[in-house]
Amino acid sequence: MARKNLFEMTPDTAEPEAAAPVRTTLGRPLLGLDRPLRPASPVGAISQSLDGISAKAQRAEEIEKRLAEGQAIIELDPSLVDASFVVDRLGVDAEDQSGLVDQIREHGQQVPILVRPHPERAGRFQVAYGHRRLAAIKEIGGTVKAVVRDLTDEQLIVSQGQENNARTDLSFIERCYFAAKLETKGFGRETIMSSLGVDKAALSRMIALVRRVPSPLIEAIGPAPSFGRQRWAEIADMVEERAKRMRALKHVEDADFRAARSDARFQIIFDLLKISKDKPRVTAWTAPDGTSPAKIKETDTALNIAFDKRGGAQFGAFVERKLLTLFEEFRKETGD
DNA sequence: GCCGAATCCACAGACCAAGC
DNA sequence: GCTTGGTCTGTGGATTCGGC
Protein backbone atom coordinates (compact mmCIF):
# COMPACT_ATOMS: atom_id res chain seq x y z
CA MET A 1 0.00 0.00 0.00
CA ALA A 2 1.33 3.40 -0.92
CA ARG A 3 2.09 5.60 2.00
CA LYS A 4 1.08 9.19 2.21
CA ASN A 5 4.36 10.08 3.83
CA LEU A 6 5.61 13.29 2.30
CA PHE A 7 9.12 12.60 3.50
CA GLU A 8 9.39 9.08 2.26
CA MET A 9 12.75 7.61 1.46
CA THR A 10 13.70 8.27 -2.10
CA PRO A 11 15.44 5.71 -4.24
CA ASP A 12 18.94 6.23 -5.49
CA THR A 13 18.12 8.02 -8.70
CA ALA A 14 19.28 11.50 -9.56
CA GLU A 15 22.67 12.70 -8.55
CA PRO A 16 22.60 15.50 -6.03
CA GLU A 17 22.98 18.86 -7.65
CA ALA A 18 25.50 20.20 -5.23
CA ALA A 19 27.90 18.62 -2.85
CA ALA A 20 28.25 21.49 -0.45
CA PRO A 21 28.60 20.37 3.15
CA VAL A 22 25.20 19.36 4.42
CA ARG A 23 23.96 21.25 7.42
CA THR A 24 20.93 20.97 9.57
CA THR A 25 18.35 23.70 9.75
CA LEU A 26 20.24 24.95 12.77
CA GLY A 27 23.41 25.22 10.75
CA ARG A 28 24.97 22.27 12.52
CA PRO A 29 26.52 19.61 10.28
CA LEU A 30 25.11 16.12 10.40
CA LEU A 31 26.99 13.64 12.58
CA GLY A 32 28.65 16.59 14.23
CA LEU A 33 31.50 16.52 11.72
CA ASP A 34 32.66 19.85 10.47
CA ARG A 35 34.98 20.23 7.56
CA PRO A 36 36.41 22.97 5.41
CA LEU A 37 34.36 23.73 2.30
CA ARG A 38 35.55 21.91 -0.76
CA PRO A 39 34.71 22.11 -4.45
CA ALA A 40 32.00 19.59 -5.34
CA SER A 41 32.63 18.94 -9.00
CA PRO A 42 34.24 15.72 -10.29
CA VAL A 43 37.33 17.79 -10.94
CA GLY A 44 37.23 18.89 -7.37
CA ALA A 45 36.90 15.31 -6.23
CA ILE A 46 39.86 14.24 -8.34
CA SER A 47 41.94 17.09 -7.09
CA GLN A 48 40.97 16.17 -3.57
CA SER A 49 42.33 12.68 -4.04
CA LEU A 50 45.39 14.06 -5.75
CA ASP A 51 45.83 16.41 -2.86
CA GLY A 52 45.88 13.41 -0.58
CA ILE A 53 42.68 14.14 1.34
CA SER A 54 42.17 11.27 3.70
CA ALA A 55 39.75 8.55 2.70
CA LYS A 56 38.13 8.91 6.07
CA ALA A 57 37.14 12.53 5.46
CA GLN A 58 35.73 11.70 2.04
CA ARG A 59 33.70 8.86 3.44
CA ALA A 60 32.31 11.11 6.13
CA GLU A 61 31.29 13.66 3.52
CA GLU A 62 29.62 11.01 1.38
CA ILE A 63 27.73 9.62 4.36
CA GLU A 64 26.53 13.06 5.35
CA LYS A 65 25.32 13.78 1.83
CA ARG A 66 23.41 10.54 1.69
CA LEU A 67 22.00 10.96 5.16
CA ALA A 68 20.66 14.41 4.42
CA GLU A 69 18.95 13.03 1.37
CA GLY A 70 17.48 10.20 3.35
CA GLN A 71 19.15 7.69 1.06
CA ALA A 72 21.21 5.85 3.61
CA ILE A 73 20.21 3.51 6.34
CA ILE A 74 22.75 3.68 9.07
CA GLU A 75 23.14 1.88 12.34
CA LEU A 76 22.93 4.00 15.46
CA ASP A 77 23.55 3.39 19.10
CA PRO A 78 19.99 3.41 20.54
CA SER A 79 21.22 5.30 23.59
CA LEU A 80 21.92 8.26 21.32
CA VAL A 81 18.33 8.41 20.11
CA ASP A 82 15.73 10.41 22.00
CA ALA A 83 11.94 10.34 21.64
CA SER A 84 10.06 12.88 19.55
CA PHE A 85 9.37 16.19 21.25
CA VAL A 86 5.66 15.42 20.99
CA VAL A 87 4.50 12.13 22.49
CA ASP A 88 1.95 10.42 20.28
CA ARG A 89 1.24 7.35 22.35
CA LEU A 90 -0.68 6.77 25.54
CA GLY A 91 1.39 3.75 26.44
CA VAL A 92 2.19 0.57 24.60
CA ASP A 93 0.45 -2.70 25.31
CA ALA A 94 3.03 -4.98 26.92
CA GLU A 95 1.83 -8.00 24.93
CA ASP A 96 2.07 -6.18 21.60
CA GLN A 97 5.50 -4.84 22.47
CA SER A 98 6.77 -8.24 23.48
CA GLY A 99 5.46 -9.57 20.15
CA LEU A 100 7.48 -6.93 18.35
CA VAL A 101 10.56 -7.79 20.38
CA ASP A 102 10.20 -11.47 19.44
CA GLN A 103 9.69 -10.57 15.79
CA ILE A 104 12.81 -8.39 15.65
CA ARG A 105 14.81 -10.95 17.59
CA GLU A 106 13.82 -13.62 15.07
CA HIS A 107 13.94 -11.70 11.78
CA GLY A 108 16.00 -8.64 12.61
CA GLN A 109 14.84 -5.05 12.19
CA GLN A 110 13.26 -5.04 8.73
CA VAL A 111 12.14 -1.41 8.64
CA PRO A 112 14.40 1.46 9.69
CA ILE A 113 13.19 4.19 11.97
CA LEU A 114 13.27 7.84 10.92
CA VAL A 115 15.32 10.24 13.01
CA ARG A 116 16.70 13.73 12.73
CA PRO A 117 19.81 15.23 14.30
CA HIS A 118 18.75 16.46 17.73
CA PRO A 119 18.17 20.22 17.43
CA GLU A 120 19.41 20.92 20.94
CA ARG A 121 21.86 18.17 21.83
CA ALA A 122 24.83 17.78 19.52
CA GLY A 123 25.71 14.23 18.59
CA ARG A 124 22.26 12.90 19.47
CA PHE A 125 19.18 12.11 17.39
CA GLN A 126 15.44 12.53 17.76
CA VAL A 127 12.86 10.02 16.51
CA ALA A 128 10.24 11.08 13.98
CA TYR A 129 8.72 7.62 13.89
CA GLY A 130 9.66 4.14 15.02
CA HIS A 131 9.39 4.59 18.79
CA ARG A 132 8.23 1.02 19.35
CA ARG A 133 10.98 -0.43 17.18
CA LEU A 134 13.52 1.68 19.05
CA ALA A 135 12.19 0.45 22.40
CA ALA A 136 12.36 -3.14 21.16
CA ILE A 137 15.98 -2.74 20.01
CA LYS A 138 16.87 -1.17 23.34
CA GLU A 139 15.45 -4.26 25.02
CA ILE A 140 17.23 -6.71 22.72
CA GLY A 141 20.50 -4.81 22.55
CA GLY A 142 22.58 -3.84 19.53
CA THR A 143 22.27 -1.04 17.04
CA VAL A 144 19.12 0.40 15.51
CA LYS A 145 18.76 0.84 11.75
CA ALA A 146 17.75 4.40 11.03
CA VAL A 147 17.31 6.88 8.24
CA VAL A 148 18.58 10.27 9.27
CA ARG A 149 16.89 13.28 7.71
CA ASP A 150 17.25 16.95 8.37
CA LEU A 151 13.70 17.84 9.40
CA THR A 152 12.15 20.99 10.77
CA ASP A 153 9.75 20.66 13.71
CA GLU A 154 6.79 20.84 11.32
CA GLN A 155 8.26 18.23 8.98
CA LEU A 156 8.98 15.96 11.91
CA ILE A 157 5.45 16.01 13.31
CA VAL A 158 3.87 15.69 9.86
CA SER A 159 6.16 12.76 9.16
CA GLN A 160 5.43 11.26 12.57
CA GLY A 161 1.69 11.58 12.11
CA GLN A 162 1.63 10.33 8.57
CA GLU A 163 3.62 7.24 9.41
CA ASN A 164 1.14 6.45 12.16
CA ASN A 165 -1.77 7.06 9.79
CA ALA A 166 -0.28 4.83 7.16
CA ARG A 167 -0.13 1.95 9.60
CA THR A 168 -3.39 2.91 11.34
CA ASP A 169 -1.14 2.67 14.34
CA LEU A 170 -2.71 5.13 16.73
CA SER A 171 -6.09 4.79 18.32
CA PHE A 172 -8.69 7.53 18.05
CA ILE A 173 -7.91 8.99 21.46
CA GLU A 174 -4.16 8.88 20.83
CA ARG A 175 -4.69 10.89 17.66
CA CYS A 176 -6.83 13.37 19.59
CA TYR A 177 -4.22 13.63 22.29
CA PHE A 178 -1.45 14.08 19.74
CA ALA A 179 -3.45 16.81 18.00
CA ALA A 180 -4.10 18.65 21.26
CA LYS A 181 -0.44 18.45 22.23
CA LEU A 182 0.62 19.86 18.88
CA GLU A 183 -1.81 22.73 19.25
CA THR A 184 -0.53 23.42 22.76
CA LYS A 185 2.96 23.60 21.32
CA GLY A 186 1.79 26.27 18.93
CA PHE A 187 1.50 24.36 15.65
CA GLY A 188 -1.10 25.66 13.23
CA ARG A 189 -4.23 23.75 12.35
CA GLU A 190 -3.00 23.24 8.78
CA THR A 191 0.12 21.49 10.02
CA ILE A 192 -1.82 19.32 12.44
CA MET A 193 -4.35 18.42 9.76
CA SER A 194 -1.51 17.34 7.45
CA SER A 195 0.07 15.34 10.21
CA LEU A 196 -3.07 13.44 11.14
CA GLY A 197 -4.66 13.35 7.70
CA VAL A 198 -7.96 14.72 8.95
CA ASP A 199 -10.12 17.65 7.87
CA LYS A 200 -10.70 20.75 9.94
CA ALA A 201 -14.04 19.52 11.26
CA ALA A 202 -12.59 16.28 12.52
CA LEU A 203 -9.59 18.05 14.00
CA SER A 204 -11.83 20.52 15.78
CA ARG A 205 -13.82 17.70 17.31
CA MET A 206 -10.69 15.78 18.29
CA ILE A 207 -9.14 18.73 20.11
CA ALA A 208 -12.43 19.69 21.76
CA LEU A 209 -12.84 16.16 23.05
CA VAL A 210 -9.42 16.08 24.70
CA ARG A 211 -10.15 19.43 26.36
CA ARG A 212 -13.36 18.01 27.87
CA VAL A 213 -11.91 14.85 29.38
CA PRO A 214 -9.36 15.23 32.20
CA SER A 215 -5.86 14.25 31.03
CA PRO A 216 -5.27 11.91 34.00
CA LEU A 217 -8.37 9.97 32.99
CA ILE A 218 -7.28 9.69 29.35
CA GLU A 219 -3.80 8.64 30.39
CA ALA A 220 -5.16 6.09 32.86
CA ILE A 221 -7.45 4.51 30.26
CA GLY A 222 -4.76 4.52 27.59
CA PRO A 223 -5.18 4.02 23.84
CA ALA A 224 -8.39 1.91 23.97
CA PRO A 225 -8.07 0.95 20.30
CA SER A 226 -11.58 -0.51 20.06
CA PHE A 227 -13.30 2.75 20.89
CA GLY A 228 -13.68 5.77 18.67
CA ARG A 229 -15.18 9.20 18.60
CA GLN A 230 -18.70 8.32 19.58
CA ARG A 231 -17.87 6.39 22.70
CA TRP A 232 -15.24 8.88 23.86
CA ALA A 233 -17.71 11.69 23.26
CA GLU A 234 -20.17 9.89 25.54
CA ILE A 235 -17.51 9.73 28.25
CA ALA A 236 -16.79 13.43 27.71
CA ASP A 237 -20.48 14.23 28.16
CA MET A 238 -20.69 12.20 31.33
CA VAL A 239 -17.58 13.60 33.02
CA GLU A 240 -18.90 17.11 32.62
CA GLU A 241 -20.79 16.40 35.83
CA ARG A 242 -18.33 17.07 38.60
CA ALA A 243 -19.48 14.14 40.75
CA LYS A 244 -19.03 11.66 37.92
CA ARG A 245 -15.70 13.15 36.94
CA MET A 246 -14.43 12.77 40.51
CA ARG A 247 -15.76 9.21 40.70
CA ALA A 248 -13.99 8.25 37.47
CA LEU A 249 -10.72 9.84 38.57
CA LYS A 250 -10.93 8.01 41.87
CA HIS A 251 -11.65 4.69 40.20
CA VAL A 252 -8.49 4.79 38.07
CA GLU A 253 -6.49 4.19 41.28
CA ASP A 254 -8.22 0.83 41.68
CA ALA A 255 -5.83 -2.13 41.38
CA ASP A 256 -8.20 -4.19 39.21
CA PHE A 257 -8.62 -1.26 36.88
CA ARG A 258 -4.88 -0.82 36.54
CA ALA A 259 -4.39 -4.53 35.84
CA ALA A 260 -6.90 -4.54 32.98
CA ARG A 261 -6.04 -3.94 29.32
CA SER A 262 -6.77 -0.56 27.84
CA ASP A 263 -10.05 -1.50 26.11
CA ALA A 264 -11.28 -3.09 29.32
CA ARG A 265 -10.28 0.01 31.29
CA PHE A 266 -12.34 2.13 28.92
CA GLN A 267 -15.33 -0.16 29.38
CA ILE A 268 -14.96 -0.13 33.16
CA ILE A 269 -15.04 3.67 33.27
CA PHE A 270 -17.82 3.82 30.70
CA ASP A 271 -19.98 1.41 32.68
CA LEU A 272 -19.19 3.14 35.94
CA LEU A 273 -20.35 6.48 34.57
CA LYS A 274 -23.26 5.07 32.61
CA ILE A 275 -24.99 3.06 35.27
CA SER A 276 -24.04 4.85 38.40
CA LYS A 277 -26.44 7.40 39.62
CA ASP A 278 -25.67 10.03 42.15
CA LYS A 279 -26.83 9.30 45.64
CA PRO A 280 -29.87 11.47 46.30
CA ARG A 281 -28.84 14.79 47.80
CA VAL A 282 -31.25 15.37 50.68
CA THR A 283 -31.51 18.69 52.46
CA ALA A 284 -34.01 19.68 55.11
CA TRP A 285 -35.87 22.91 54.39
CA THR A 286 -35.87 25.03 57.50
CA ALA A 287 -38.70 27.53 58.14
CA PRO A 288 -38.08 30.94 59.78
CA ASP A 289 -39.49 29.52 63.04
CA GLY A 290 -36.74 26.88 63.06
CA THR A 291 -38.93 23.89 62.20
CA SER A 292 -38.20 21.60 59.23
CA PRO A 293 -41.56 20.63 57.75
CA ALA A 294 -40.12 19.46 54.39
CA LYS A 295 -37.14 17.68 52.92
CA ILE A 296 -35.83 18.37 49.41
CA LYS A 297 -34.46 15.27 47.70
CA GLU A 298 -32.56 15.80 44.46
CA THR A 299 -31.29 13.06 42.14
CA ASP A 300 -29.93 13.13 38.57
CA THR A 301 -33.42 12.88 37.18
CA ALA A 302 -35.84 14.33 39.72
CA LEU A 303 -36.38 16.86 42.46
CA ASN A 304 -38.77 15.81 45.21
CA ILE A 305 -40.15 17.81 48.08
CA ALA A 306 -41.34 15.56 50.88
CA PHE A 307 -43.53 16.99 53.64
CA ASP A 308 -43.33 15.59 57.12
CA LYS A 309 -46.70 13.97 57.96
CA ARG A 310 -46.45 15.10 61.55
CA GLY A 311 -45.12 18.66 61.35
CA GLY A 312 -45.72 19.53 57.70
CA ALA A 313 -48.89 17.79 56.54
CA GLN A 314 -51.02 20.94 56.53
CA PHE A 315 -48.26 22.91 54.85
CA GLY A 316 -47.98 20.19 52.21
CA ALA A 317 -51.69 20.33 51.48
CA PHE A 318 -51.46 24.11 51.23
CA VAL A 319 -48.60 23.93 48.70
CA GLU A 320 -50.57 21.37 46.70
CA ARG A 321 -53.57 23.76 46.52
CA LYS A 322 -51.26 26.61 45.47
CA LEU A 323 -49.44 24.68 42.72
CA LEU A 324 -51.41 26.36 39.94
CA THR A 325 -50.74 29.83 41.37
CA LEU A 326 -47.06 28.98 41.82
CA PHE A 327 -46.86 27.70 38.25
CA GLU A 328 -48.42 30.91 36.89
CA GLU A 329 -46.03 33.01 38.96
CA PHE A 330 -43.17 30.92 37.61
CA ARG A 331 -44.37 31.53 34.03
CA LYS A 332 -44.58 35.27 34.68
CA GLU A 333 -41.11 35.42 36.16
CA THR A 334 -39.30 33.32 33.61
CA GLY A 335 -41.41 34.13 30.57
CA ASP A 336 -41.58 30.39 29.72
C1' DG B 1 -22.62 -30.88 14.26
C1' DC B 2 -19.68 -28.20 11.24
C1' DC B 3 -18.64 -24.89 7.79
C1' DG B 4 -19.21 -21.13 4.68
C1' DA B 5 -22.12 -17.55 2.66
C1' DA B 6 -25.46 -14.00 3.36
C1' DT B 7 -27.44 -10.60 6.13
C1' DC B 8 -27.87 -7.39 9.84
C1' DC B 9 -26.24 -4.05 12.97
C1' DA B 10 -23.30 -0.96 15.46
C1' DC B 11 -19.64 1.89 15.13
C1' DA B 12 -15.85 4.82 13.24
C1' DG B 13 -14.60 8.27 10.40
C1' DA B 14 -15.08 11.43 6.44
C1' DC B 15 -17.63 14.92 4.16
C1' DC B 16 -20.78 18.84 3.74
C1' DA B 17 -23.17 22.85 5.09
C1' DA B 18 -24.66 26.28 8.26
C1' DG B 19 -23.65 29.24 11.95
C1' DC B 20 -20.62 31.84 15.05
C1' DG C 1 -11.01 30.18 10.90
C1' DC C 2 -13.41 27.25 13.93
C1' DT C 3 -17.39 24.58 15.67
C1' DT C 4 -21.30 21.76 15.29
C1' DG C 5 -25.03 18.90 13.51
C1' DG C 6 -26.39 15.85 10.05
C1' DT C 7 -25.50 12.40 6.66
C1' DC C 8 -23.15 8.86 4.18
C1' DT C 9 -19.91 5.08 3.54
C1' DG C 10 -16.87 1.46 4.91
C1' DT C 11 -15.77 -2.11 8.17
C1' DG C 12 -15.89 -5.71 11.53
C1' DG C 13 -18.47 -8.70 14.51
C1' DA C 14 -22.62 -11.34 15.44
C1' DT C 15 -26.33 -13.96 13.83
C1' DT C 16 -28.94 -16.75 10.70
C1' DC C 17 -29.49 -20.12 7.24
C1' DG C 18 -28.59 -23.71 3.98
C1' DG C 19 -25.62 -27.43 2.35
C1' DC C 20 -22.71 -31.22 3.55
Side-chain angles (χ1 to χ4, degrees):
Chain A
M1 189 175 77
R3 289 189 174 172
K4 289 187 249 176
N5 190 351
L6 293 174
F7 306 103
E8 63 191 341
M9 293 160 58
T10 50
D12 287 326
T13 49
E15 285 291 317
E17 284 179 20
V22 178
R23 289 182 175 270
T24 69
T25 46
L26 300 175
R28 191 164 43 75
L30 292 169
L31 296 179
L33 299 171
D34 214 344
R35 306 165 310 283
L37 291 172
R38 279 286 186 183
S41 66
V43 175
I46 293 166
S47 53
Q48 272 181 17
S49 62
L50 289 174
D51 288 347
I53 298 294
S54 75
K56 192 177 175 183
Q58 283 188 342
R59 218 174 70 231
E61 186 164 332
E62 178 60 22
I63 288 171
E64 286 197 5
K65 264 164 54 186
R66 293 175 69 193
L67 290 183
E69 290 154 11
Q71 294 178 359
I73 297 171
I74 62 168
E75 307 223 347
L76 294 174
D77 177 352
S79 67
L80 294 176
V81 186
D82 298 325
S84 167
F85 65 99
V86 186
V87 177
D88 58 8
R89 289 184 185 282
L90 288 166
V92 177
D93 186 275
E95 225 170 272
D96 293 345
Q97 187 62 18
S98 113
L100 182 63
V101 168
D102 291 346
Q103 198 183 328
I104 291 178
R105 196 171 269 139
E106 198 173 332
H107 304 289
Q109 182 193 348
Q110 299 295 315
V111 184
I113 66 173
L114 178 66
V115 301
R116 70 170 178 176
H118 201 296
E120 287 158 10
R121 302 171 72 185
R124 298 189 66 81
F125 299 87
Q126 196 171 48
V127 178
Y129 57 74
H131 289 89
R132 285 179 58 213
R133 275 166 277 166
L134 176 64
I137 298 286
K138 279 181 176 173
E139 190 177 330
I140 295 167
T143 56
V144 60
K145 291 191 181 81
V147 171
V148 185
R149 299 210 68 177
D150 190 14
L151 303 170
T152 63
D153 285 353
E154 283 78 11
Q155 287 172 327
L156 182 135
I157 62 113
V158 169
S159 191
Q160 185 179 351
Q162 289 186 343
E163 168 68 7
N164 287 325
N165 289 341
R167 289 187 285 120
T168 58
D169 214 18
L170 293 185
S171 69
F172 171 76
I173 196 65
E174 283 179 310
R175 284 154 59 81
C176 296
Y177 208 61
F178 184 51
K181 287 220 162 187
L182 292 179
E183 186 169 65
T184 305
K185 285 191 175 287
F187 289 100
R189 293 266 169 147
E190 284 294 330
T191 306
I192 306 173
M193 281 156 57
S194 300
S195 174
L196 290 167
V198 295
D199 62 12
K200 57 183 178 178
L203 179 60
S204 173
R205 266 191 271 258
M206 290 163 84
I207 291 173
L209 188 131
V210 170
R211 305 262 184 262
R212 291 169 63 207
V213 182
S215 295
L217 183 59
I218 295 176
E219 285 159 13
I221 291 173
S226 300
F227 301 98
R229 190 184 86 202
Q230 198 165 318
R231 302 295 296 281
W232 274 100
E234 284 184 60
I235 283 201
D237 289 342
M238 292 189 281
V239 297
E240 273 181 357
E241 275 182 51
R242 188 173 178 280
K244 288 188 174 179
R245 187 167 64 247
M246 300 314 288
R247 193 179 306 128
L249 287 170
K250 194 176 173 194
H251 197 78
V252 302
E253 308 293 335
D254 188 85
D256 288 343
F257 174 85
R258 286 172 173 274
R261 295 190 71 168
S262 183
D263 279 339
R265 290 199 296 270
F266 178 96
Q267 196 63 55
I268 289 168
I269 293 296
F270 189 86
D271 292 342
L272 177 79
L273 296 173
K274 196 83 180 172
I275 58 172
S276 64
K277 298 284 180 194
D278 280 341
K279 283 182 182 169
R281 296 172 288 281
V282 182
T283 50
W285 182 77
T286 307
D289 65 0
T291 59
S292 298
K295 283 196 172 79
I296 300 167
K297 189 163 89 174
E298 189 182 356
T299 66
D300 287 346
T301 53
L303 182 112
N304 301 302
I305 302 176
F307 295 93
D308 190 314
K309 274 278 186 187
R310 285 162 295 176
Q314 285 186 329
F315 179 47
F318 174 79
V319 171
E320 192 179 358
R321 285 200 304 279
K322 292 285 184 184
L323 272 179
L324 182 60
T325 314
L326 286 170
F327 184 70
E328 283 169 351
E329 274 184 34
F330 163 76
R331 294 282 291 266
K332 260 189 209 166
E333 251 186 52
T334 61
D336 278 356

Short mmCIF file of all heavy atoms in Angstrom, two decimals, chain A residues 18-43:
data_model
loop_
_atom_site.label_atom_id
_atom_site.label_comp_id
_atom_site.label_asym_id
_atom_site.label_seq_id
_atom_site.Cartn_x
_atom_site.Cartn_y
_atom_site.Cartn_z
N ALA A 18 24.33 19.57 -5.81
CA ALA A 18 25.50 20.20 -5.23
C ALA A 18 26.03 19.35 -4.10
O ALA A 18 25.30 18.63 -3.46
CB ALA A 18 25.14 21.59 -4.70
N ALA A 19 27.30 19.42 -3.90
CA ALA A 19 27.90 18.62 -2.85
C ALA A 19 28.44 19.49 -1.73
O ALA A 19 29.37 19.12 -1.05
CB ALA A 19 29.01 17.75 -3.43
N ALA A 20 27.84 20.63 -1.54
CA ALA A 20 28.25 21.49 -0.45
C ALA A 20 28.00 20.77 0.86
O ALA A 20 27.12 19.93 0.95
CB ALA A 20 27.46 22.79 -0.48
N PRO A 21 28.79 21.06 1.86
CA PRO A 21 28.60 20.37 3.15
C PRO A 21 27.16 20.49 3.59
O PRO A 21 26.56 21.55 3.55
CB PRO A 21 29.54 21.13 4.08
CG PRO A 21 30.55 21.78 3.20
CD PRO A 21 29.84 22.04 1.92
N VAL A 22 26.60 19.39 4.03
CA VAL A 22 25.20 19.36 4.42
C VAL A 22 25.06 19.80 5.85
O VAL A 22 25.75 19.32 6.73
CB VAL A 22 24.66 17.93 4.27
CG1 VAL A 22 23.23 17.87 4.72
CG2 VAL A 22 24.80 17.49 2.83
N ARG A 23 24.16 20.74 6.07
CA ARG A 23 23.96 21.25 7.42
C ARG A 23 22.51 21.08 7.81
O ARG A 23 21.63 21.02 6.97
CB ARG A 23 24.35 22.73 7.48
CG ARG A 23 25.84 22.88 7.37
CD ARG A 23 26.29 24.32 7.46
NE ARG A 23 27.74 24.33 7.47
CZ ARG A 23 28.49 24.28 8.56
NH1 ARG A 23 27.92 24.24 9.74
NH2 ARG A 23 29.79 24.27 8.50
N THR A 24 22.29 21.03 9.07
CA THR A 24 20.93 20.97 9.57
C THR A 24 20.32 22.34 9.46
O THR A 24 21.00 23.31 9.12
CB THR A 24 20.89 20.53 11.05
OG1 THR A 24 21.43 21.59 11.80
CG2 THR A 24 21.66 19.27 11.26
N THR A 25 19.02 22.40 9.79
CA THR A 25 18.35 23.70 9.75
C THR A 25 18.95 24.65 10.77
O THR A 25 18.78 25.85 10.69
CB THR A 25 16.85 23.53 10.07
OG1 THR A 25 16.75 22.68 11.20
CG2 THR A 25 16.12 22.96 8.90
N LEU A 26 19.64 24.10 11.75
CA LEU A 26 20.24 24.95 12.77
C LEU A 26 21.67 25.31 12.39
O LEU A 26 22.39 25.92 13.16
CB LEU A 26 20.24 24.22 14.12
CG LEU A 26 18.86 23.85 14.61
CD1 LEU A 26 18.95 23.03 15.89
CD2 LEU A 26 18.01 25.09 14.86
N GLY A 27 22.08 24.88 11.20
CA GLY A 27 23.41 25.22 10.75
C GLY A 27 24.48 24.28 11.27
O GLY A 27 25.66 24.46 11.04
N ARG A 28 24.02 23.22 11.96
CA ARG A 28 24.97 22.27 12.52
C ARG A 28 25.13 21.11 11.56
O ARG A 28 24.15 20.58 11.06
CB ARG A 28 24.44 21.77 13.86
CG ARG A 28 25.40 20.99 14.67
CD ARG A 28 24.91 20.90 16.11
NE ARG A 28 23.49 20.62 16.24
CZ ARG A 28 22.95 19.44 16.02
NH1 ARG A 28 23.70 18.43 15.64
NH2 ARG A 28 21.67 19.28 16.16
N PRO A 29 26.37 20.71 11.23
CA PRO A 29 26.52 19.61 10.28
C PRO A 29 26.03 18.30 10.85
O PRO A 29 26.12 18.08 12.06
CB PRO A 29 28.02 19.56 10.01
CG PRO A 29 28.65 20.17 11.21
CD PRO A 29 27.66 21.18 11.72
N LEU A 30 25.54 17.44 9.98
CA LEU A 30 25.11 16.12 10.40
C LEU A 30 26.28 15.35 10.98
O LEU A 30 27.42 15.52 10.57
CB LEU A 30 24.52 15.36 9.22
CG LEU A 30 23.20 15.90 8.69
CD1 LEU A 30 22.89 15.22 7.38
CD2 LEU A 30 22.09 15.72 9.68
N LEU A 31 26.00 14.48 11.91
CA LEU A 31 26.99 13.64 12.58
C LEU A 31 27.99 14.47 13.36
O LEU A 31 28.98 13.94 13.85
CB LEU A 31 27.76 12.75 11.58
CG LEU A 31 26.94 11.72 10.83
CD1 LEU A 31 27.84 10.96 9.89
CD2 LEU A 31 26.22 10.79 11.76
N GLY A 32 27.76 15.75 13.44
CA GLY A 32 28.65 16.59 14.23
C GLY A 32 30.03 16.76 13.62
O GLY A 32 30.96 17.21 14.26
N LEU A 33 30.19 16.39 12.35
CA LEU A 33 31.50 16.52 11.72
C LEU A 33 31.56 17.82 10.93
O LEU A 33 30.72 18.09 10.10
CB LEU A 33 31.74 15.34 10.75
CG LEU A 33 31.74 13.96 11.38
CD1 LEU A 33 31.77 12.91 10.28
CD2 LEU A 33 32.93 13.80 12.30
N ASP A 34 32.52 18.60 11.20
CA ASP A 34 32.66 19.85 10.47
C ASP A 34 33.94 19.78 9.64
O ASP A 34 34.95 19.27 10.06
CB ASP A 34 32.73 21.02 11.44
CG ASP A 34 32.06 22.24 10.84
OD1 ASP A 34 31.84 22.24 9.61
OD2 ASP A 34 31.75 23.15 11.59
N ARG A 35 33.82 20.29 8.43
CA ARG A 35 34.98 20.23 7.56
C ARG A 35 35.10 21.52 6.79
O ARG A 35 34.13 22.24 6.61
CB ARG A 35 34.85 19.09 6.54
CG ARG A 35 34.57 17.77 7.14
CD ARG A 35 34.11 16.83 6.05
NE ARG A 35 33.05 17.39 5.25
CZ ARG A 35 31.79 17.47 5.66
NH1 ARG A 35 31.44 17.10 6.86
NH2 ARG A 35 30.88 17.98 4.86
N PRO A 36 36.30 21.81 6.26
CA PRO A 36 36.41 22.97 5.41
C PRO A 36 35.64 22.76 4.13
O PRO A 36 35.52 21.64 3.65
CB PRO A 36 37.92 23.09 5.16
CG PRO A 36 38.47 21.71 5.40
CD PRO A 36 37.58 21.10 6.45
N LEU A 37 35.10 23.84 3.56
CA LEU A 37 34.36 23.73 2.30
C LEU A 37 35.30 23.29 1.19
O LEU A 37 36.45 23.69 1.11
CB LEU A 37 33.74 25.10 1.95
CG LEU A 37 32.61 25.53 2.87
CD1 LEU A 37 32.24 26.97 2.55
CD2 LEU A 37 31.42 24.62 2.74
N ARG A 38 34.76 22.46 0.34
CA ARG A 38 35.55 21.91 -0.76
C ARG A 38 34.75 22.01 -2.04
O ARG A 38 33.53 21.92 -2.04
CB ARG A 38 35.85 20.42 -0.50
CG ARG A 38 37.01 20.22 0.44
CD ARG A 38 38.27 20.53 -0.31
NE ARG A 38 39.43 20.21 0.49
CZ ARG A 38 40.67 20.45 0.06
NH1 ARG A 38 40.88 21.02 -1.11
NH2 ARG A 38 41.70 20.14 0.79
N PRO A 39 35.45 22.13 -3.19
CA PRO A 39 34.71 22.11 -4.45
C PRO A 39 34.01 20.79 -4.62
O PRO A 39 34.54 19.75 -4.22
CB PRO A 39 35.78 22.32 -5.52
CG PRO A 39 37.09 22.15 -4.86
CD PRO A 39 36.88 22.33 -3.40
N ALA A 40 32.81 20.80 -5.26
CA ALA A 40 32.00 19.59 -5.34
C ALA A 40 32.05 18.91 -6.69
O ALA A 40 31.53 17.83 -6.85
CB ALA A 40 30.55 19.96 -5.03
N SER A 41 32.63 19.52 -7.67
CA SER A 41 32.63 18.94 -9.00
C SER A 41 33.53 17.72 -9.06
O SER A 41 34.36 17.51 -8.17
CB SER A 41 33.13 19.98 -9.99
OG SER A 41 34.49 20.26 -9.71
N PRO A 42 33.36 16.87 -10.14
CA PRO A 42 34.24 15.72 -10.29
C PRO A 42 35.71 16.16 -10.29
O PRO A 42 36.56 15.47 -9.73
CB PRO A 42 33.83 15.14 -11.65
CG PRO A 42 32.43 15.61 -11.86
CD PRO A 42 32.34 16.93 -11.18
N VAL A 43 35.95 17.29 -10.93
CA VAL A 43 37.33 17.79 -10.94
C VAL A 43 37.80 18.05 -9.52
O VAL A 43 38.91 17.69 -9.14
CB VAL A 43 37.42 19.09 -11.77
CG1 VAL A 43 38.82 19.67 -11.69
CG2 VAL A 43 37.03 18.81 -13.21
#
